[in-house]
Coordinates of all heavy atoms in Angstrom, one line a residue:
P1 N 108.2 127.4 108.2 CA 108.5 126.2 107.3 C 109.2 125.1 108.0 O 110.0 125.3 108.8 CB 109.3 126.8 106.2 CG 109.2 128.3 106.2 CD 108.9 128.6 107.7
L2 N 108.7 123.9 107.8 CA 109.2 122.7 108.6 C 110.7 122.4 108.0 O 111.5 122.0 108.9 CB 108.3 121.5 108.4 CG 108.8 120.2 109.0 CD1 109.1 120.3 110.5 CD2 107.8 119.1 108.7
A3 N 110.9 122.5 106.8 CA 112.2 121.9 106.2 C 113.4 122.6 106.8 O 114.3 121.9 107.1 CB 112.1 122.1 104.7
P4 N 113.4 123.9 107.0 CA 114.6 124.6 107.6 C 114.9 124.1 109.0 O 116.0 123.9 109.4 CB 114.3 126.0 107.6 CG 113.3 126.2 106.5 CD 112.5 124.9 106.5
V5 N 113.8 123.8 109.8 CA 114.0 123.2 111.1 C 114.6 121.9 111.0 O 115.6 121.6 111.8 CB 112.6 123.2 111.9 CG1 112.8 122.6 113.2 CG2 112.0 124.6 112.0
L6 N 114.1 121.0 110.1 CA 114.7 119.7 110.0 C 116.1 119.8 109.5 O 117.0 119.0 110.0 CB 113.8 118.8 109.0 CG 112.3 118.6 109.5 CD1 111.7 117.8 108.5 CD2 112.3 118.0 110.8
E7 N 116.4 120.7 108.7 CA 117.8 120.9 108.1 C 118.7 121.3 109.3 O 119.9 120.7 109.4 CB 117.8 122.0 107.1 CG 119.2 122.1 106.4 CD 119.2 123.2 105.4 OE1 118.2 123.9 105.2 OE2 120.2 123.3 104.7
L8 N 118.3 122.1 110.2 CA 119.1 122.4 111.4 C 119.4 121.2 112.2 O 120.4 121.0 112.7 CB 118.4 123.6 112.2 CG 119.1 123.9 113.5 CD1 120.6 124.3 113.3 CD2 118.3 125.0 114.2
L9 N 118.3 120.4 112.5 CA 118.4 119.2 113.3 C 119.4 118.3 112.6 O 120.2 117.7 113.4 CB 117.1 118.6 113.5 CG 116.0 119.4 114.3 CD1 114.7 118.7 114.4 CD2 116.5 119.7 115.7
D10 N 119.3 118.1 111.4 CA 120.3 117.2 110.7 C 121.7 117.7 110.9 O 122.6 116.9 111.0 CB 119.9 117.1 109.2 CG 118.8 116.0 108.9 OD1 118.6 115.1 109.8 OD2 118.2 116.0 107.9
S11 N 121.9 118.9 110.7 CA 123.2 119.5 110.8 C 123.8 119.3 112.1 O 125.1 119.3 112.3 CB 123.2 121.0 110.4 OG 122.6 121.8 111.5
R12 N 123.0 119.2 113.2 CA 123.5 118.9 114.6 C 123.4 117.4 114.9 O 123.8 117.1 116.1 CB 122.6 119.7 115.5 CG 122.7 121.2 115.4 CD 123.9 121.7 116.1 NE 124.0 123.2 116.0 CZ 125.0 123.9 116.6 NH1 126.0 123.2 117.2 NH2 125.0 125.2 116.6
G13 N 123.1 116.6 114.0 CA 123.0 115.2 114.3 C 121.9 114.9 115.3 O 121.9 113.8 116.0
A14 N 120.8 115.7 115.2 CA 119.7 115.5 116.2 C 118.5 114.7 115.5 O 117.5 115.4 115.1 CB 119.2 116.8 116.7
G15 N 118.6 113.4 115.3 CA 117.6 112.7 114.7 C 116.4 112.6 115.6 O 116.4 112.6 116.8
A16 N 115.2 112.6 115.0 CA 113.9 112.5 115.8 C 113.5 111.0 116.0 O 113.6 110.2 115.1 CB 112.8 113.2 115.1
K17 N 113.1 110.7 117.2 CA 112.6 109.4 117.5 C 111.3 109.2 116.9 O 110.8 108.1 116.5 CB 112.6 109.1 119.0 CG 114.0 109.0 119.6 CD 113.9 108.6 121.1 CE 113.5 107.3 121.4 NZ 114.5 106.3 121.0
Q18 N 110.5 110.4 117.0 CA 109.1 110.3 116.5 C 108.9 111.7 115.8 O 109.3 112.7 116.3 CB 108.1 110.1 117.5 CG 108.2 108.8 118.3 CD 107.3 108.9 119.6 OE1 106.5 109.7 119.8 NE2 107.6 107.9 120.5
L19 N 108.2 111.7 114.7 CA 107.9 112.9 114.0 C 106.4 112.8 113.4 O 106.1 111.8 112.8 CB 108.8 113.2 112.8 CG 108.5 114.1 111.7 CD1 108.4 115.6 112.4 CD2 109.4 114.2 110.6
R20 N 105.7 113.9 113.8 CA 104.2 113.9 113.3 C 104.0 115.3 112.7 O 104.4 116.3 113.2 CB 103.3 113.7 114.5 CG 103.3 112.3 115.1 CD 102.2 112.2 116.1 NE 102.2 110.8 116.8 CZ 103.0 110.7 117.8 NH1 103.9 111.5 118.2 NH2 103.0 109.5 118.3
Y21 N 103.3 115.2 111.5 CA 102.9 116.4 110.9 C 101.5 116.4 110.5 O 101.1 115.4 109.9 CB 103.8 116.7 109.6 CG 103.3 117.8 108.8 CD1 103.5 119.2 109.2 CD2 102.6 117.6 107.6 CE1 103.1 120.3 108.4 CE2 102.1 118.7 106.9 CZ 102.3 120.0 107.3 OH 101.9 121.0 106.5
D22 N 100.8 117.4 110.8 CA 99.4 117.6 110.4 C 99.1 119.1 110.0 O 99.5 120.0 110.8 CB 98.5 117.3 111.7 CG 97.0 117.3 111.2 OD1 96.4 118.4 111.0 OD2 96.4 116.2 111.2
A23 N 98.6 119.2 108.8 CA 98.5 120.6 108.3 C 97.6 121.5 109.2 O 97.9 122.7 109.3 CB 97.8 120.5 106.8
A24 N 96.7 120.9 109.9 CA 95.8 121.7 110.7 C 96.4 121.9 112.2 O 96.2 122.9 112.8 CB 94.5 121.0 110.9
L25 N 97.2 120.9 112.6 CA 97.6 120.9 114.0 C 99.1 121.3 114.1 O 99.6 121.8 115.2 CB 97.4 119.6 114.7 CG 96.0 119.1 114.7 CD1 96.0 117.7 115.3 CD2 95.2 120.0 115.5
G26 N 99.9 121.2 113.0 CA 101.3 121.5 113.1 C 102.2 120.3 113.3 O 101.9 119.2 112.8
V27 N 103.4 120.6 113.9 CA 104.4 119.5 114.0 C 104.8 119.2 115.4 O 104.8 120.1 116.2 CB 105.7 120.0 113.2 CG1 106.9 119.0 113.3 CG2 105.4 120.3 111.7
S28 N 105.1 117.9 115.6 CA 105.6 117.6 116.9 C 106.6 116.5 116.7 O 106.4 115.6 115.9 CB 104.5 117.0 117.9 OG 104.0 115.8 117.5
L29 N 107.8 116.6 117.3 CA 108.8 115.5 117.2 C 109.5 115.4 118.5 O 109.6 116.3 119.3 CB 109.7 115.8 116.0 CG 110.6 117.0 116.0 CD1 111.9 116.9 116.8 CD2 110.9 117.4 114.6
V30 N 110.0 114.1 118.7 CA 110.7 113.8 120.0 C 112.1 113.6 119.7 O 112.5 112.8 118.9 CB 110.1 112.6 120.6 CG1 110.8 112.2 121.9 CG2 108.6 112.8 120.9

């Protein structure tokens, strides 16, 4: 699940410069 990963990043103050989500390809963020 994507949401728990993003929650962890937020808790560490690790904001993404770029975020892409595609149901078929998955997630990539910088």
Side-chain angles (χ1 to χ4, degrees):
L2 175 60
V5 176
L6 299 181
E7 184 179 6
L8 172 58
L9 295 177
D10 275 341
S11 72
R12 295 282 185 176
K17 293 182 71 72
Q18 300 166 13
L19 169 63
R20 292 186 184 81
Y21 170 76
D22 185 287
L25 301 177
V27 176
S28 68
L29 60 87
V30 177

